[in-house]
Amino acid sequence: MSASALLLTACSGGSGGGGPDDPIVIGVSLPLTGDFSEPGKGVQRGYEAWVSAVNENGGLLGREVELRVLDDQSSADRVVQDYEALIAHYEVDLVFGPFSTRLVVPSARVAEEYGMLFVEPAGAAEAVFEQGFENLFYAAPAIAQDHYAHLADHILSLPEDQRPRTVAVASMDDPFAQGTAHGLRDRLAEAGLDIVVDETYPPNTTDFAGIAAKIDDSGADMVIGGTQYQDAVNLIVALRQLNYQPQIAAFSTAPTNPEFPVAIGDRTEGILAPTGYTPDADWPSNVAFVEHYTEMFGGPPAEDEANAYTTGQVVAAAVEAVGCAEQGECQQRLVDWLRENEVDTVVGPLSWDAQGRPQSAHLIQQYVDGEVSIVLPEDTAEAPFVHPKPEW
């Protein structure tokens, strides 16, 4: 591991495990370069905002907090090396999780081996929770398969003459992207809707003409995209070129990206997406978070930043309740406390099952009058659900 890979954020300092006057050192590996570098930097900003806010309010257990960050270069092999180094060599007191399911699973294995509490902001795929991890907690409202729970409930509550009857699904071969799409697909199929197209494509796909043609030929009332960003843009453009006009169109990840309307143009109206966060939420800690984050970075936080900040809140709640923050027996006490308690966060109150799955649901956003607004569930809606979707 090169010295250049090491970044020190917040106050300077060395290894963890110090006395009551020493900082609490938190280690994390993030994809600051490579395929996941953009969201990885967002997670870093969220962690930095949390450290800054905590230190401004007296730290944890009266001690300053220090963040030690390594760049895993978006590599699963590298992330394992990083967490080994953070825990065994640098002897950090606590660890936070990295970005992406592909990096969370191998890093969680390292944390489990060392008996470390492992709260993570971005491993949402069901596969994460099928590994038998006993120390892992996901710091967001719901896992990928449940992201569309509110949308499924709404569709199935519609009168028969308004409900879509046929569904087309196109998903990237990625645990998170497929998880979001297939969770909604399966709910609708169980209720009797007909899945007329169900395609999976490689992550590097750029030509969506063939998939778009299948969807168009099916005449499906609804289209579900298990997408990241560029693939969603390319698929929507291909569907528009064929003048395919669904009643409902839902795509994961991409519509919440600020660049999405720039790429799509003025045809975003009615497009849906799940989100675990909105900066407009009135949770008490969120109001303070948005203000603090905006002051630090010049604009409001997005979902990746919020989930990172939530990770800090979850760990801090356990540390303050248990009264310790170091390697060893303390880690199991932190895990045990989180198993039994609910934590108030910027994404709302969180609690978890035995596998670390959060027991809530994502909000549903939709482009309404050119703006992204929460439309489901109805008791938190900022705008009415638009159905059927206007032509794109």
Side-chain angles (χ1 to χ4, degrees):
M1 178 174 54
S2 67
S4 63
L6 181 64
L7 300 175
L8 293 180
T9 310
C11 59
S12 61
S15 300
D21 296 327
D22 292 327
I24 292 174
V25 183
I26 301 174
V28 58
S29 177
L30 290 173
L32 303 179
T33 56
D35 293 342
F36 304 132
S37 61
E38 286 310 306
K41 291 172 184 175
V43 171
Q44 183 183 26
R45 289 191 296 271
Y47 284 154
E48 290 175 347
W50 174 80
V51 169
S52 172
V54 165
N55 286 338
E56 284 185 8
N57 288 280
L60 285 181
L61 304 178
R63 296 164 61 185
E64 193 88 353
V65 175
E66 175 183 315
L67 194 65
R68 187 180 286 270
V69 183
L70 303 181
D71 178 11
D72 58 45
Q73 302 170 12
S74 303
S75 162
D77 290 336
R78 185 58 179 260
V79 82
V80 169
Q81 297 172 23
D82 284 355
Y83 279 98
E84 289 274 2
L86 288 165
I87 297 169
H89 177 70
Y90 293 109
E91 298 181 342
V92 298
D93 298 291
L94 302 160
V95 291
F96 288 171
F99 177 83
S100 99
T101 291
R102 296 180 185 275
L103 301 179
V104 163
V105 170
S107 55
R109 290 197 184 102
V110 176
E112 188 90 2
E113 177 184 346
Y114 284 94
M116 301 288 287
L117 169 67
F118 196 73
V119 182
E120 52 93 0
E126 179 64 33
V128 172
F129 310 97
E130 295 175 338
Q131 306 295 316
F133 296 132
E134 297 183 357
N135 298 355
L136 180 143
F137 300 82
Y138 177 42
I143 67 169
Q145 274 72 5
D146 296 331
H147 279 192
Y148 278 117
H150 286 307
L151 179 59
D153 290 342
H154 181 77
I155 290 171
L156 299 179
S157 73
L158 292 172
E160 286 288 341
D161 61 346
Q162 296 180 29
R163 186 185 303 178
R165 300 177 185 276
T166 54
V167 181
V169 183
S171 305
M172 178 189 288
D173 187 6
D174 171 86
F176 169 78
Q178 281 189 303
T180 58
H182 291 180
L184 178 55
R185 176 200 67 186
D186 294 347
R187 280 285 309 277
L188 299 180
E190 289 167 4
L193 278 69
D194 188 10
I195 311 301
V196 293
V197 175
D198 196 354
E199 291 286 314
T200 300
Y201 54 86
N204 59 354
T205 300
T206 57
D207 183 357
F208 285 87
I211 292 176
K214 289 183 180 180
I215 294 173
D216 182 48
D217 289 344
S218 76
D221 299 327
M222 177 177 181
V223 60
I224 303 170
T227 53
Q228 295 288 356
Y229 175 69
Q230 193 59 53
D231 57 319
V233 171
N234 292 345
L235 177 56
I236 290 170
V237 169
L239 292 171
R240 282 171 49 184
Q241 289 173 342
L242 296 173
N243 197 34
Y244 166 71
Q245 303 293 346
Q247 296 176 18
I248 299 176
F251 295 85
S252 55
T253 305
T256 61
N257 189 304
E259 296 301 315
F260 181 74
V262 177
I264 297 299
D266 61 355
R267 302 297 181 89
T268 58
E269 192 72 6
I271 295 176
L272 295 151
T275 182
Y277 176 73
T278 171
D280 297 323
D282 58 2
W283 306 113
S285 66
N286 184 56
V287 176
F289 166 51
V290 172
E291 181 179 347
H292 187 78
Y293 183 93
T294 302
E295 183 177 333
M296 284 185 68
F297 297 105
E303 186 172 10
D304 290 332
E305 289 87 340
N307 287 352
Y309 195 93
T310 299
T311 298
Q313 289 183 299
V314 170
V315 173
V319 166
E320 294 289 355
V322 172
C324 67
E326 65 269 348
Q327 292 192 36
E329 182 267 341
C330 172
Q331 298 291 314
Q332 188 59 50
R333 291 169 60 194
L334 298 173
V335 170
D336 292 344
W337 188 87
L338 285 176
R339 289 273 177 249
E340 301 297 329
N341 288 276
E342 182 178 88
V343 179
D344 290 327
T345 77
V346 299
V347 300
L350 294 181
S351 59
W352 300 267
D353 69 8
Q355 287 72 45
R357 299 180 186 89
Q359 302 297 286
S360 187
H362 271 41
L363 304 168
I364 302 299
Q365 291 183 325
Q366 188 175 39
Y367 277 86
V368 181
D369 295 330
E371 301 290 336
V372 175
S373 299
I374 303 299
V375 293
L376 295 172
E378 291 183 356
D379 59 359
T380 60
E382 302 165 344
F385 186 90
V386 176
H387 177 254
K389 188 186 78 63
E391 290 191 1
W392 54 18

